[in-house]
Amino acid sequence: MKQIKNTELLSSIREAFKKLRADKGVTQETVSNDIQNLKGVTISIGRIETGDNDLSVSTISILCEYYGVSISEFFGKVEAAL
């Protein structure tokens, strides 16, 4: 079964996360370390932001929680950028 991959959508998601990180004024390493300490999971922010790593719904949820935005608010921003 062929996997569907919407590269435009994935790019918009990555850009939205980059903007949230920049707005918060933190480095990729800080985000990774904070999430590791809070959730006990390792997320490679650099790989997500560069497109080297696909995003799961769980990862999106954790990042939205970290940045203090609801999932619906986040996808509203993503949709507006498309």
Side-chain angles (χ1 to χ4, degrees):
M1 182 181 210
K2 185 177 178 183
Q3 182 180 11
I4 298 170
K5 192 170 196 173
N6 184 329
T7 55
E8 184 180 4
L9 176 60
L10 290 170
S11 178
S12 291
I13 290 170
R14 289 185 179 95
E15 289 302 315
F17 279 131
K18 283 183 194 178
K19 181 169 180 355
L20 286 170
R21 184 175 58 76
D23 290 349
K24 190 168 179 140
V26 293
T27 65
Q28 292 174 347
E29 184 178 2
T30 298
V31 175
S32 245
N33 289 339
D34 287 350
I35 290 172
Q36 174 66 41
N37 292 333
L38 294 169
K39 298 288 186 181
V41 295
T42 302
I43 296 176
S44 175
I45 303 305
R47 289 184 62 165
I48 289 169
E49 290 184 0
T50 60
D52 291 339
N53 195 16
D54 285 337
L55 291 156
S56 70
V57 174
S58 297
T59 301
I60 291 170
S61 176
I62 288 169
L63 288 170
C64 285
E65 183 180 337
Y66 177 79
Y67 291 120
V69 296
S70 69
I71 293 172
S72 60
E73 180 184 355
F74 175 75
F75 276 108
K77 292 175 190 249
V78 169
E79 186 176 38
L82 287 175

